[in-house]
Each structure stands twice: as structure tokens, then as C-alpha cells.
Amino acid sequence: MQAKEEQYFRYIEAVLFWHGEIQTGVFQDKFKLSRPSARRYLNDFIERHDIAARYDESEKAYVLATPFTPNYISQDFSEYVHLIGEQYVHQLSASPISALALPHRKLNPTIIRPILNACRRQSVLDIRYQSIKEGGETERIIRPHTLVNSGLRYHLRAYCEDAKGFRDFSLSRILAACPEFKCKAQKYKQDDDAWQREVILTIMPDPRLSDYAQQVVAHDFDMQNHKKRLTSNAALINYLISILRLDVQHPNPEAQQIVMEPTCYSELRALGLLWN
């Protein structure tokens, strides 16, 4: 098998496995193929690997009928995210790039599929959710709009009919997700004020460091005048703060390295956007 064909098959398999369907046009646009070529590769993959999928004319997509065991990808959701996010991916297992062994959260593709489709179609889901706050499983009617990697886990940004507002749901705590057709809430991504609200996070070297150390940190973070402005939104700002370890102060400035610029902290605090 040629490297180009394996690349196509890896992408097709990833989308089919996690989405449960793949549109010819999406595959075509991803790799700049002609429509006949895209259809040929899709049909070749399905026939060669005996995948139970049928073409749905109304959806303009090949829809998975029964689950299958992947040949080209693992069942790790992080690999799917990396693969879909890159136009050209070869030999993922032989990559010269290494990553920290972070805690792994196993995600079930039968739950992820309806979630991804609901995000894409802006449709509604009935989910069963493990809530730490409520001390047990709860039923929620949600309209999700975005899947977010917050550094250590994936969460789902969605309008919750029960809470009457937009909330974050940890993906690994969703135990079931089914389409819901009786929801009255007509809330979409553009209605999520916290998501639409742009926020600037300004960081600077820890002032406890020596002048030389502050210069090193400023260069490391590509700061201008010892400051770096990071654009986020109100819904994600605390995740960014947590990833950068700005929500706590380490007793050792060499371990801390960066802090939130005081004026920025005061502004975010005054707006009520900080968790801590």
C-alpha cells in the first residue's frame, strides 16, 4: 500500500469510527481530491475491509451500520483529534515527538458519535451524566456546540435545559447520549455569551526572579516589554489559567516562572470571571 493511500484510509477510518459516518465532500476537501477520486477511495476502503456502511443520499454520506475494529488507528480519542487536526499525518506511532504520560480517560465511541454529530448539526441530546456536585447520576437535556481539550481532559460546552444556561460537561462522565426531539430550548453557540465574550489574559515573569531570570522567561514566552497577551474567551479563561499554573503561587519563583499581570488579575476579578 502506498503512503498516500494509507494516509487516506487512516483518515477515513478515524472519521467512520468516531463519527459513525463520513461525507464524501469533507474527505474530498480535506485532501483536495476530485469527487470521483474521493468516492473511489471511500468505496475501496469499505469493500477492502468489509465495513458495514451504506451510502445515505439525503445525508450525502457513508453511514456506519455496525461497529468495526479499526486497522489503521488506535481507539484513543487523542489520536483522532490529532489526526483530524492535521492535513498530513504519517506513522503516528513512530513520531519523534514525545508527550507526558498524563492520566488517560477512556472514551466510548458509541457515546462520542452522537455528541460529535450533535455539535455538527446543532441538535439536542438526552444525556446521562455522573455529577460530583449532585452526588449521583442525572438526566440532562443539552444542546452541545463545542468539544474542548482543557489540557487534562475533554469537556463539552453545551446549553443545559435543566440549568437554564450554558455549562461544561466532562466527556468521560457522560454515560449515555441519545438524540432528543422534544427539547424546547433554542439556544446555540452564538447565544453563549461567555463563549462569545473575548477576554485577554496578560502574563509576565515572576517579579521574585532576578533581572536576568526574568529576561530569560520573557524570551521563552515571546514577551514584549516583559508582558504577553493571550486571547481567550470567558468560558475558557479559567482552564487557560489552570494550565499555566496561574491560579496558585509556588513558593519557589524558579518553579513558578510566570504570573498574571496585576492589572489583568484585578480586571478579571472585578468581572467575576475567576474561579479562585
Side-chain angles (χ1 to χ4, degrees), residues 40-57:
R40 177 169 59 82
Y41 281 115
L42 284 164
N43 285 319
D44 189 17
F45 172 83
I46 290 169
E47 292 173 7
R48 186 181 302 188
H49 299 288
D50 197 24
I51 304 296
R54 60 177 178 80
Y55 187 77
D56 188 325
E57 188 65 40

Side-chain angles (χ1 to χ4, degrees), residues 85-103:
E86 297 291 337
Q87 185 172 0
Y88 302 107
V89 178
H90 299 285
Q91 300 178 345
L92 293 177
S93 61
S95 172
I97 300 173
S98 184
L100 294 174
L102 298 175

